[in-house]
Amino acid sequence: MTAQPQPVLSLLDAIAQRRSARAFKPDAIATATLHEILRLGTQAPSAFNLQPWRFIVLQSADAKAKLSPCAFGQRQITEAPVVLICCGDTTAADPDNIEAVIALGQQQGAMPDAFADYMRTGIPQGMRDRPSFTHIEAWINRQVMLAVGHIALVAQAYGVDSCPMEGFSTAAIQETFGLPETLIPCCLLPLGYAADPLKQYGGRFPLDRICYGDRYGEPFPS
Ligand SMILES: Cc1cc2nc3c(=O)[nH]c(=O)nc-3n(C[C@H](O)[C@H](O)[C@H](O)COP(=O)(O)O)c2cc1C
């Protein structure tokens, strides 16, 4: 029987201690740990629970070597034992996925018929009107990056380091990995155990620089 992976950090400590790793040891991630990271990471929220994220999980040296030039030779890609190509499926609001989400909700006893009907009409309408985005890439990235953030934090709680990466060529990944046009790579996420040189904490802006009060420009009350 496979041992259940045990977290080594609380979620709050994982948030505080996570750094983007720029070098990785060759040590493998246990399969059960990897599965748990992906299972918990994809508990992330998504619009209408459409879960439009798709992950190509690279573990072979051959696959990572193919990805390396697509990511401009950044060393994390070939060093990390696992690299996720985190993609968004632009067909996620199509009727078959809507029906799959409805069926999932029904299995959970959490899908009233009226809400299912609302999904069948409201989602296609929302995707036509697009009141909160202009391009499907913005919508898809909004969803996928939430899952990427969850995965990175769950991984950290299990002692597994990561590095979100946008330094890649979309066209090169799509061609190299034979992705359909409807699958958009949003982020690469190498996972593994950080090696020297370790990335130092670069700091974060104080809240009074990034938060406002009731109106834009109004100070956020301390
Ligand atoms: C969307 C995104 C894209 C990034 N792309 C890269 C990248 O291509 N290569 C890299 O080494 N780091 C990349 N980073 C890591 C950032 O440089 C890093 O998160 C930032 O400097 C803050 O450091 P920390 O994550 O260690 O706190 C990326 C981070 C994000 C969120």
Side-chain angles (χ1 to χ4, degrees):
M1 204 175 81
T2 319
Q4 178 72 14
Q6 295 301 317
V8 296
L9 290 174
S10 74
L11 197 51
L12 292 185
D13 285 340
I15 290 169
Q17 292 178 26
R18 184 209 56 77
R19 297 278 71 81
S20 294
R22 296 300 167 25
F24 287 91
K25 297 174 188 162
D27 310 21
I29 302 173
T31 302
T33 304
L34 177 62
H35 282 233
E36 200 58 3
I37 290 168
L38 292 169
R39 189 187 69 78
L40 279 172
T42 52
Q43 296 301 306
S46 59
F48 284 102
N49 201 25
L50 287 169
Q51 305 165 59
W53 40 72
R54 305 288 179 265
F55 302 95
I56 302 170
V57 184
L58 307 186
Q59 300 192 70
S60 74
D62 184 45
K64 287 180 274 174
K66 283 191 180 127
L67 180 62
S68 175
C70 308
F72 314 118
Q74 294 188 76
R75 64 187 281 186
Q76 301 97 311
I77 299 298
T78 44
E79 288 185 5
V82 176
V83 180
L84 307 181
I85 306 178
C86 308
C87 301
D89 183 355
T90 58
T91 69
D94 286 1
D96 59 340
N97 197 52
I98 293 175
E99 291 305 325
V101 172
I102 289 170
L104 191 62
Q106 285 168 339
Q107 281 168 27
Q108 301 293 321
M111 183 56 66
D113 290 346
F115 192 72
D117 286 342
Y118 173 65
M119 286 181 66
R120 290 183 180 108
T121 55
I123 295 173
Q125 182 71 47
M127 297 310 276
R128 278 194 298 274
D129 294 351
R130 302 183 174 185
S132 70
F133 63 95
T134 49
H135 196 278
I136 190 74
E137 260 194 69
W139 183 82
I140 212 76
N141 271 279
R142 185 183 287 169
Q143 323 290 330
V144 174
M145 293 311 289
L146 258 176
V148 171
H150 274 56
I151 290 170
L153 293 178
V154 173
Q156 203 65 59
Y158 281 115
V160 174
D161 299 291
S162 64
C163 182
M165 296 172 68
E166 64 180 349
F168 61 84
S169 156
T170 301
I173 291 181
Q174 283 178 322
E175 190 186 332
T176 305
F177 290 89
L179 305 186
E181 271 183 14
T182 51
L183 206 61
I184 300 178
C186 300
C187 185
L188 303 178
L189 193 72
L191 293 166
Y193 299 93
D196 287 333
L198 292 177
K199 170 100 177 353
Q200 299 300 307
Y201 177 56
R204 292 296 187 268
F205 291 131
L207 295 187
D208 63 8
R209 185 183 167 101
I210 57 169
C211 301
Y212 303 98
D214 286 335
R215 291 174 67 86
Y216 173 67
E218 201 170 276
F220 177 59
S222 53

